[in-house]
Amino acid sequence: MRSLVRDYRRHKYLYLMILPVVLYYAIFHYAPMYGAIIAFKNYRIAEGFLGSPWVGFQHFINFFNSYYFGRLIKNTLLLNFYMLLFSFPAPIIFALLINEIGGRVFKRLVQTITYLPHFISMIVVCGMITQFVARDGFITDLLVMFGMERTALLGHPQYFRSIYIVSDIWQGVGWGSIIYLAAITGINPELYEASRIDGASKWKQTLHITLPGIAPIIVILFILKIGHMLDVGFDKIILLYNPNTYVTADVISTFVYRKGLGESNEFSYTTAVGLFQSAINFLLLIAANRFSKRVSENSLW
């Protein structure tokens, strides 16, 4: 305790600087956790959190036994798996390619163009996607040229995941590459000079210098991504899907919204579903961090 007081006296201005951040998380992230108690109650607005009757794990059991459980888990995991397979490495590859561009003006132009989709409103992006893959959209026209039957792509469940992943790459590849480009600039240039003297090609420099240099960043972001394996972008899916595509597009977050605020206002049931999702994400994060610590020297903690 004395050491803490002594440290505060020596660095009191640093403590004051961090105070707004601590208050933000305490008020808006930790305090609302108290509301998770309704997952174990039959919540009634008139009776409040404490007055509503306890039901224990009944809402969790109902969710595990429901028709939607298997479909929601499958859709959520598949979308996240495809994002790990395609969306996650896309910024890394793009950063490596950008790093090889010699012209400074052209390099900045490419970076600016690829950053722009990140700043477009999600509603506008989804509106653009809907128009592009409509029956008379230009992407549909291109696919028709290759022999596909003309149809509205978002009306067919088998196309939803592909549309989601491709649009996710387009929207985030430029912005996601920033952190990797920053890591690349931190690599000692003398390593590249020594490799060139030894006759190493660009590919070998990338393989043996650049990738190992940014490996800690890749591992940390990968662990964080694993911690969201049961969490998919709610806003984009809710703007793109429809009852025809529920079979492949409906995920846990959209189900919680639909059941909690849309169809039946089942607050306790959907809170239980959301709590289950958060618990699994937390366990996955712990497991991914431990695995990374065992196979490498990089981890979150």
Side-chain angles (χ1 to χ4, degrees), residues 114-139:
T114 54
Y115 295 166
L116 286 177
H118 175 79
F119 297 99
I120 302 177
S121 168
M122 185 60 70
I123 295 178
V124 176
V125 168
C126 292
M128 294 168 60
I129 295 171
T130 303
Q131 293 297 320
F132 292 161
V133 299
R135 184 177 179 84
D136 56 349
F138 90 91
I139 292 180

Side-chain angles (χ1 to χ4, degrees), residues 92-113:
I92 303 173
I93 297 172
F94 184 72
L96 295 175
L97 294 175
I98 285 291
N99 186 56
E100 297 301 325
I101 296 179
R104 180 176 298 180
V105 175
F106 180 70
K107 183 177 181 178
R108 290 181 177 177
L109 178 63
V110 172
Q111 287 178 290
T112 302
I113 292 174

